[in-house]
């Protein structure tokens, strides 16, 4: 194609790109691109604590991988959508092992998510697990991930010594974390990390949705993300 001068025009380049993407070998490259973008380098579902994994099938990690890959295939290869579709899509795939985690019924066909709860790959179990601790909610880890991977805003590592504020009895996890990071030196980063992280507060380490905390209090997911005009 280059020898024939076909790469000199946008139409010629597009034709060659479409030809290469139609090759079965392209599928692995597309999967690798999305996994690298969303930080899914390993399947972290199997590494969660025994309490988190209690009652889940042994093949849940493999099931989540299949769902992730099928979602990528559906949008980028079958439909030709852009990468943004992977962040906003209400569509997913869930077999008998994954469906209970997503609150769906098993099906081999594409399914519609409850978009009041989740949409796109950000809330997919494979992605949530990659950016969550072994046990409990991980709003700061997830918030840093959203900033770095989606908003392209690097987040500095935490200081070697963390503040040790006094906590009031009955505080929620969010209240404790906000007290921990209220100092101006912490807020330089946590003003950015907090809002997207707290938005994902209801998701446990394998991506299940819990609208209330362990004490039965509604999760406070309110927040505003400040985006640079540039």
């Amino acid at each position: 194609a280059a020898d024939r001068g076909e790469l000199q025009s946008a139409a010629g380049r597009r034709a060659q790109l479409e030809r290469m993407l139609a090759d079965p070998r392209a599928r692995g490259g597309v999967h690798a691109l999305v996994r690298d973008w969303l930080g899914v380098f390993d399947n972290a579902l199997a590494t969660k604590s025994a309490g988190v994994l209690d009652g889940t099938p042994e093949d849940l990690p493999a099931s989540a991988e299949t769902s992730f890959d099928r979602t990528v295939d559906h949008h980028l290869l079958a439909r030709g959508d852009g990468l943004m579709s992977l962040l906003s899509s209400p569509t997913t795939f869930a077999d008998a092992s994954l469906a209970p985690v997503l609150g769906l019924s098993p099906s081999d066909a594409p399914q519609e998510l409850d978009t009041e709860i989740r949409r796109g790959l950000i809330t997919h179990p494979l992605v949530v697990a990659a950016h969550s601790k072994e046990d409990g909610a991980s709003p700061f880890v997830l918030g840093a991930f959203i900033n770095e991977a989606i908003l392209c805003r690097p987040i500095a590592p935490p200081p070697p010594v963390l503040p040790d504020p006094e906590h009031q009895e009955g505080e929620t996890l969010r209240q404790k974390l906000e007290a921990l990071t209220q100092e101006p030196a912490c807020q330089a980063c946590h003003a950015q990390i907090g809002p997207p992280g707290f938005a994902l507060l209801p998701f446990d380490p394998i991506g299940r949705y819990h609208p209330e905390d362990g004490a039965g209090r509604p999760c406070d997911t309110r927040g505003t993300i400040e985006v640079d005009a540039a």
Side-chain angles (χ1 to χ4, degrees):
D3 291 342
R4 296 190 299 270
E6 295 176 11
L7 302 184
Q8 299 302 312
S9 69
R13 292 191 294 273
R14 182 179 183 88
Q16 294 306 318
L17 285 169
E18 290 176 346
R19 177 186 63 79
M20 290 188 290
L21 286 172
D23 189 297
R25 291 172 294 180
R27 183 170 180 265
V30 171
H31 290 179
L33 169 68
V34 176
R35 285 172 181 261
D36 185 60
W37 172 39
L38 297 181
V40 183
F41 305 112
D42 297 298
N43 190 328
L45 282 163
T47 68
K48 304 308 176 184
S49 70
V52 170
L53 293 173
D54 185 39
T56 61
E58 291 186 4
D59 66 342
L60 177 62
S63 174
E65 289 230 22
T66 299
S67 169
F68 183 93
D69 290 343
R70 290 189 69 188
T71 302
V72 173
D73 290 345
H74 176 74
H75 287 288
L76 300 190
L77 298 180
R79 291 167 51 96
D81 298 334
L83 285 174
M84 283 299 295
S85 68
L86 299 178
L87 302 180
S88 60
S89 172
T91 304
T92 195
F93 294 84
D95 62 14
S97 295
L98 184 64
V101 174
L102 298 176
L104 299 171
S105 299
S107 175
D108 189 55
Q111 297 198 62
E112 294 295 305
L113 293 163
D114 180 352
T115 54
E116 292 296 316
I117 294 175
R118 69 173 85 228
R119 66 164 60 234
L121 288 180
I122 294 299
T123 55
H124 191 278
L126 202 66
V127 177
V128 174
H131 305 286
S132 297
K133 299 176 183 178
E134 289 72 24
D135 195 1
S138 303
F140 285 170
V141 183
L142 287 162
F145 155 66
I146 295 292
N147 273 275
E148 295 182 332
I150 308 303
L151 301 178
C152 299
R153 296 194 298 204
I155 298 297
V161 179
L162 297 176
D164 186 20
E166 293 185 6
H167 294 291
Q168 304 298 318
E169 185 176 354
E171 284 184 327
T172 64
L173 174 61
R174 175 168 181 164
Q175 289 169 335
K176 291 179 181 178
L177 292 175
E178 288 180 329
L180 180 67
T181 59
Q182 65 183 346
E183 297 296 329
C186 298
Q187 279 296 299
C189 289
H190 279 276
Q192 298 176 335
I193 294 173
F198 292 131
L200 298 174
L201 190 59
F203 292 94
D204 75 4
I206 62 172
R208 285 177 298 208
Y209 181 80
H210 304 278
E212 299 178 343
D213 65 15
R217 299 168 295 194
C219 293
D220 184 356
T221 60
R222 295 171 298 171
T224 301
I225 297 177
E226 299 292 340
V227 180
D228 295 335

